[in-house]
Amino acid sequence: MSQATGLPQVTIVDVTESTNDDVMRLGREGAPHGSAVAARRQTLGRGRRGHVWVSPKGGLYLSVLVRPQVPRTSFSAIPAACGLGVLDACRALGAQGVALKWPNDIVACVGEKDGSKLGGILVEVGDSADGPFAVCGIGVNLARPPREAIRPEAVHDGMVGALPPAYLDERMAAGVSGQAGGSGVAAFVAGGFEALATTFRDAVASRVETWAEALGARPAAAGPLAPILADYQGALALLGHAVQAVSHAGEALDRGTFVAVDALGRAIVRQSDGRELRFSSEQASLRAI
């Protein structure tokens, strides 16, 4: 048990099939809020919509059990809260130029372009005798592996036009300034993988707890994302830029300016004639144009 947060100690494993599966089992067995499993490698990692998630050494693969005391219908906002928590952890470690790409990819920003993918999030919901819970699965690229093989060219996580990978140690001050990679994460991992995983777990759990408490003080009609909407929009890399909405099959849908996210988590894209289109994350992804 962590003395600072009161949360359970993070379980560390060298390799597992899927940390999300591991924590889903814990949740169904009644494990408490904040229980977490972190692995140095996964053999059956997955991303959103069942896509393959390549999980070699050089990354942090972490799943966190959360039990927010809110209606299950409000769980749709948990991915956004989790994304903000991951950003909090990255910044606490000294990372610069890190943002969210709607709905909840973690990216290293490059001007007005899509950026490079630093990590991703998969939230899954389960049930137990203690009520519904969510498992926040997080994959973060920590350090560039040999031959830059953290995500081979042949693998794109099932995404159309997948982003190139970025690495957390290269977003440290030294790496961002143009040197051959920062030393912060590498040194931190060498000193304790568990401490690194705990930093991310604590940040995610804190964001979910704060969101759930604030949601309870708002009218249900405000929408599940309402308590964190301002923070979430402020963290989005492409907000205010011209984008193309693309279906998950690769079909170009519409284009315009990404102007906002609503309290249901839908992206609002304004066309040149002023008409606004709303896309859920299950309908489309956004690409810079």
Side-chain angles (χ1 to χ4, degrees):
M1 187 75 68
S2 168
Q3 293 183 349
T5 64
L7 298 176
Q9 184 175 359
V10 177
T11 298
I12 306 297
V13 298
D14 283 332
V15 61
T16 189
E17 289 186 348
S18 163
T19 59
N20 259 34
D21 288 347
D22 295 342
V23 175
M24 185 64 71
R25 284 191 291 270
L26 292 177
R28 289 170 177 154
E29 292 167 1
H33 172 79
S35 299
V37 174
R40 293 180 174 86
R41 186 167 66 88
Q42 295 181 122
T43 57
L44 292 176
R46 62 182 180 274
R48 294 173 59 240
R49 299 183 300 281
H51 296 150
V52 173
W53 184 269
V54 180
S55 309
K57 289 183 178 179
L60 169 68
Y61 311 105
L62 169 70
S63 294
V64 181
L65 174 67
V66 294
R67 294 185 180 275
Q69 300 303 302
V70 300
R72 184 176 179 141
T73 53
S74 298
F75 276 32
S76 59
I78 292 178
C82 182
L84 289 171
V86 173
L87 279 191
D88 290 342
C90 289
R91 291 165 179 166
L93 292 168
Q96 300 179 12
V98 178
L100 293 178
K101 182 178 182 296
W102 179 83
N104 54 2
D105 279 342
I106 313 302
V107 295
C109 302
V110 182
E112 296 182 2
K113 300 299 182 182
D114 288 314
S116 302
K117 188 166 181 175
L118 185 63
I121 294 168
L122 172 66
V123 174
E124 298 178 307
V125 177
D127 289 291
S128 70
D130 298 316
F133 61 88
V135 175
C136 301
I138 302 155
V140 179
N141 302 336
L142 298 179
R144 189 179 299 272
R147 297 182 299 278
E148 302 183 8
I150 199 162
R151 188 169 66 186
E153 284 297 320
V155 178
H156 292 283
D157 301 342
M159 295 168 58
V160 176
L163 302 178
Y167 304 91
L168 188 57
D169 68 344
E170 295 175 0
R171 302 314 299 173
M172 299 305 174
V176 172
S177 66
Q179 298 181 24
S183 60
V185 168
F188 199 78
V189 172
F193 187 80
E194 181 178 355
L196 180 69
T198 301
T199 296
F200 277 90
R201 188 282 305 275
D202 290 354
V204 167
S206 176
R207 276 288 186 172
V208 172
E209 291 161 7
T210 301
W211 159 75
E213 182 178 353
L215 188 67
R218 287 174 177 259
L225 209 64
I228 56 173
L229 187 56
D231 282 355
Y232 180 63
Q233 291 191 129
L236 291 172
L238 292 180
L239 197 68
H241 298 305
V243 296
Q244 174 83 61
V246 181
S247 76
H248 300 305
E251 177 188 4
L253 300 176
D254 282 286
R255 60 174 56 198
T257 301
F258 181 24
V259 294
V261 172
D262 66 20
L264 297 177
R266 297 174 298 185
I268 302 175
V269 176
R270 181 177 296 150
Q271 298 185 302
S272 58
D273 61 2
R275 186 165 59 103
E276 291 185 347
L277 307 175
R278 296 178 186 240
F279 298 97
S280 74
S281 61
E282 296 306 312
Q283 293 175 311
S285 60
L286 302 181
R287 291 287 184 264
I289 55 176

